[in-house]
Amino acid sequence: MKAIKITSTAFLVVALVLVLIVAGCTQSPGTSSNATAPSASAPNGSVGILETAGVGPMPPLLATNQVDGYIAWQPVAEAGVESNIGQIAVYSKDLPPAGEWSNHPQNVFVVRKDFYAQNPDFVNDFSALNLAATQYINDHPQEAAGIAADWLAGKQNFTYGNVSVSSVTVVSNALPTIKFTNDPSDSWKASTADFVQALEGIGTVNGFVKNSSEPDAVLYNFQPYQTAQAIITAKNVTTPAPLKNTVSVGYLMALDHSALFVAVKDWQYFNDTYGIALKPEDLTAAKPTVADFLVNGQKVATVNLVPANAGPNLMQLAATNSIQMSYVGVPPAISAIDIGTPITIAYPIDNLGTGLVVTKGAPVTDWQSFAVWAKQRSDEGKPLVIAAPGKGSIQDVMLRYALQNSGFAVTNVKV
């Protein structure tokens, strides 16, 4: 039996560990000799989930038939299609339960509570830049796609092992599948509550959030959003006192976090238009790591830009105060708050933007046909293996919840 070979660095073991839906034994990809036998509570059989170190390993795993599919954020979902190794089975908006995820939250901006208490003006101004960058993406999608392709791949091809595809084409095709918004509307909060319910259902949320009589107060502080909105509307920003310490901001190499990419790469536009800018110290770098936060032309802080493999990794960094602010998926943020990480959700970053990719030629066009295929494979003794980017990521949670809702047991696939 061949073990999976993943060339990426093994991902960090995080404090947040999902309690599996069904206690499954180890299953090697493409085989079933160790698969958990379907139980009465899993009438459709089983599906294996392989947790990878982020999304980078996924396309080569699919290209070499080591998995039957993967669920990923953009642009990796689109990369599977553009490279002709896979096809979209379903976008996250159409995952079961039917209608529940039609405009689901994807990523949020979180801030450590102590950092906000000490530096409210800085956080408000940084948030104003995020709102301005979101508007830029919606008004100038072609320019935003070029910036994101430059950040994510230096405008060169995306290369995953032997899989290579144009980054500009992939990003341009993927961008319309994401809805960039910062509005914490009532419908957005209701959809976020659906994630809380999903996390409770699979046993991940059992603490502060689940037991609170006022979960909104535990999860949110929208003051940065409200103040930032007023700054953008007035195009009038007050310069805060310079920060003595460097600020670290976490993010993923995901198209969802294009607000950061746009703000940094087109810093002059935001400086001239709003008086706020995140100017990279190295203007020639495709993916800057350090930037100066400028307000009204004055440097307020040095900002480290810290990438991670997946949302739970970012939340571990937030727990240790290694980062003070972060762009991150909704479930990792909720789960981190639930176990006592001193962060708050300040506002949304985007909705949607996740796709389930299956091997090219699979008899799958939607979730229903995917479920039929999965049951058939399980009945044949060859349960499907689907890669997900780390336990507790938004993709992992949505896939597990969808499988549970559709009557499948879930086994944990080991490397």
Side-chain angles (χ1 to χ4, degrees):
M1 187 179 298
K2 294 183 178 180
I4 293 176
K5 295 181 179 179
I6 299 177
T7 58
S8 302
T9 303
F11 63 91
L12 296 171
V13 178
V14 296
L16 172 63
V17 178
L18 277 174
V19 176
L20 294 176
I21 302 168
V22 176
C25 60
T26 299
Q27 175 187 334
S28 294
T31 69
S32 65
S33 59
N34 294 322
T36 303
S39 65
S41 62
N44 288 330
S46 63
V47 173
I49 295 182
L50 168 67
E51 306 290 357
T52 60
V55 294
M58 293 180 178
L61 287 173
L62 185 61
T64 54
N65 300 314
Q66 296 187 76
V67 296
D68 300 292
Y70 62 79
I71 186 166
W73 55 69
Q74 295 287 24
V76 178
E78 185 62 31
V81 176
E82 189 65 28
S83 62
N84 207 38
I85 63 170
Q87 62 195 46
I88 295 291
V90 60
Y91 286 109
S92 50
K93 65 184 179 65
D94 295 318
L95 287 172
E100 184 162 333
W101 310 115
S102 58
N103 190 33
H104 71 82
Q106 178 93 337
N107 286 266
V108 290
F109 192 72
V110 302
V111 183
R112 277 186 58 100
K113 293 179 179 179
D114 53 354
F115 182 76
Y116 180 57
Q118 295 163 12
N119 306 285
D121 293 337
F122 174 85
V123 174
N124 294 337
D125 288 354
F126 197 99
S127 296
L129 180 59
N130 274 333
L131 268 61
T134 297
Q135 189 62 51
Y136 181 101
I137 295 169
N138 291 326
D139 290 346
H140 309 284
Q142 186 173 354
E143 292 86 343
I147 289 171
D150 188 25
W151 190 291
L152 296 171
K155 288 190 178 178
Q156 303 301 309
N157 286 354
F158 286 124
T159 300
Y160 309 97
N162 294 328
V163 179
S164 186
V165 62
S166 166
S167 62
V168 175
T169 300
V170 168
V171 169
S172 297
N173 291 341
L175 198 66
T177 69
I178 304 172
K179 181 179 179 181
F180 292 93
T181 180
N182 303 120
D183 181 16
S185 64
D186 289 342
S187 62
W188 179 86
K189 288 195 294 182
S191 193
T192 302
D194 289 339
F195 269 116
V196 173
Q197 181 180 8
L199 290 163
E200 290 177 358
I202 63 176
T204 302
V205 166
N206 296 294
F208 294 122
V209 176
K210 180 177 181 179
N211 298 322
S212 174
S213 59
E214 298 183 32
D216 283 6
V218 174
L219 290 171
Y220 309 124
N221 180 358
F222 296 138
Q223 187 60 51
Y225 167 76
Q226 294 162 355
T227 305
Q229 193 175 44
I231 291 171
I232 293 299
T233 300
K235 290 187 178 179
N236 183 17
V237 57
T238 301
T239 306
L243 275 64
K244 295 180 180 179
N245 298 323
T246 297
V247 180
S248 293
V249 178
Y251 73 97
L252 301 177
M253 292 290 284
L255 194 54
D256 306 84
H257 298 174
S258 290
L260 174 64
F261 311 155
V262 164
V264 174
K265 300 292 279 188
D266 206 359
W267 68 271
Q268 190 70 60
Y269 166 83
F270 297 100
N271 184 73
D272 296 346
T273 306
Y274 300 98
I276 313 170
L278 199 54
K279 180 182 178 181
E281 291 193 352
D282 181 357
L283 295 175
T284 66
K287 185 181 70 175
T289 57
V290 183
D292 294 335
F293 188 69
L294 308 177
V295 180
N296 295 321
Q298 298 182 36
K299 180 177 176 179
V300 173
T302 298
V303 178
N304 288 334
L305 306 174
V306 183
N309 283 332
N313 304 135
L314 289 170
M315 294 298 88
Q316 185 183 46
L317 293 173
T320 59
N321 201 24
S322 298
I323 58 175
Q324 289 72 54
M325 304 187 296
S326 184
Y327 307 78
V328 68
V330 175
I334 294 171
S335 297
I337 292 170
D338 190 63
I339 62 172
T341 303
I343 59 169
T344 187
I345 296 173
Y347 45 86
I349 291 296
D350 70 321
N351 295 349
L352 309 176
T354 284
L356 174 61
V357 179
V358 294
T359 188
K360 186 73 173 179
V364 175
T365 57
D366 54 18
W367 179 262
Q368 289 72 27
S369 54
F370 172 82
V372 171
W373 184 45
K375 184 179 187 305
Q376 178 184 353
R377 284 284 299 271
S378 187
D379 289 346
E380 293 171 353
K382 299 181 292 184
L384 295 179
V385 174
I386 307 297
K391 285 186 173 72
S393 66
I394 186 170
Q395 290 74 24
D396 179 72
V397 170
M398 293 191 81
L399 178 60
R400 289 177 183 272
Y401 194 64
L403 289 169
Q404 175 184 272
N405 184 267
S406 298
F408 290 94
V410 175
T411 59
N412 194 36
V413 177
K414 300 289 187 180
V415 175

